[in-house]
Amino acid sequence: MIRILFDSRRKRWLFVWLLLGCLLFQQIAWLWSDFSWHGLAGMALASLIYAIAMQCFFAVTFDRNAAVRVQQTLTLPLALPVARDMVLAELQARYGRRVRVQGDSHFEVRTACAFKSWGEYLSVDLAEAGVVATRVHLCSRPWLRLTLIDWGKNRDNVKSMVRVLAQRGKSGL
C-alpha cells in the first residue's frame, strides 16, 4: 500500500508539498502560542499524519488524472500540402485565432483556461511519410508546469484531434 502512494516522482512531490503546507499552517498558529518542545513534536506528528492521509485520499485520483505530456503519431493517406491545409482548417475551427503557424509544418495552440485546467499547449508537427502520405505528430502538455492534475484534458485534446483527423483522412477531405 505504501509503495503505491510514492511510486512516482510526482506523487513524492505532492506529499512534500502537502507536508510543507500543513507545517506552514501549523507554524502560523504556533507563533501565537507559547513555545514548548511537546508542542513542536505534536505539530510535526500531526502534519505527517495529515500528509499521509491526504496522500492516501488523492493517490487513485492522481494516478488517473496526473498531468502528463500526451503524444501520439498517426499517418494520413494524403500529400503534405493537402494534410497541412486540413490540419490548419481543423485547428482554426476548434481554437480560432489562438493558432500560431510556425513554418510550413508546425502549428501551436494555447487552449483557454477552463474549470479543469489552466490551459494547455497543443503542438502539431507534419512530415512526409512517403509520396502520398503524411505523418502527423500531436503533443499536448499543461500550460502551467506546476500542474499536478489536469483531469485528462491533455489526453482528451490529443484523442479528439486524432479521431477527427483520422476520419477526415479516410474520407480524403
Side-chain angles (χ1 to χ4, degrees):
M1 174 67 183
I2 297 295
R3 186 177 294 164
I4 293 171
L5 298 178
F6 303 103
D7 63 354
S8 71
R9 186 172 22 159
R10 287 184 176 264
K11 285 183 182 177
R12 289 189 291 270
W13 274 109
L14 177 65
F15 178 74
V16 167
W17 283 112
L18 285 169
L19 184 60
L20 289 175
C22 187
L23 281 170
L24 180 66
F25 178 74
Q26 288 187 358
Q27 181 70 28
I28 292 169
W30 184 55
L31 287 174
W32 299 104
S33 65
D34 294 331
F35 175 79
S36 71
W37 287 106
H38 296 292
L40 182 64
M43 179 182 71
L45 183 62
S47 297
L48 184 64
I49 292 170
Y50 174 78
I52 289 174
M54 287 294 105
Q55 188 79 2
C56 292
F57 181 73
F58 286 116
V60 175
T61 301
F62 198 73
D63 272 342
R64 239 180 297 135
N65 301 307
V68 293
R69 176 183 298 230
V70 178
Q71 300 180 21
Q72 190 166 347
T73 303
L74 73 143
T75 304
L76 298 175
L78 301 169
L80 182 62
V82 176
R84 181 188 185 281
D85 293 339
M86 182 184 70
V87 168
L88 181 59
E90 180 61 33
L91 287 172
Q92 286 177 340
R94 284 176 181 246
Y95 303 108
R97 292 193 287 168
R98 291 187 298 242
V99 177
R100 289 187 298 173
V101 179
Q102 297 178 342
D104 286 340
S105 59
H106 182 77
F107 307 102
E108 281 190 0
V109 177
R110 184 187 179 288
T111 64
C113 180
F115 181 71
K116 287 185 176 182
S117 73
W118 291 103
E120 301 84 35
Y121 277 123
L122 176 66
S123 66
V124 181
D125 291 307
L126 304 173
E128 285 191 51
V131 180
V132 222
T134 303
R135 186 174 53 247
V136 180
H137 180 77
L138 298 154
C139 178
S140 181
R141 65 175 177 83
W143 173 74
L144 187 63
R145 291 188 187 265
L146 295 176
T147 303
L148 292 176
I149 296 177
D150 71 349
W151 305 105
K153 282 289 287 175
N154 291 311
R155 190 174 355 131
D156 293 343
N157 289 340
V158 170
K159 278 185 177 181
S160 66
M161 282 298 293
V162 165
R163 185 178 59 248
V164 168
L165 292 176
Q167 287 175 352
R168 285 182 143 193
K170 286 180 184 177
S171 65
L173 295 174

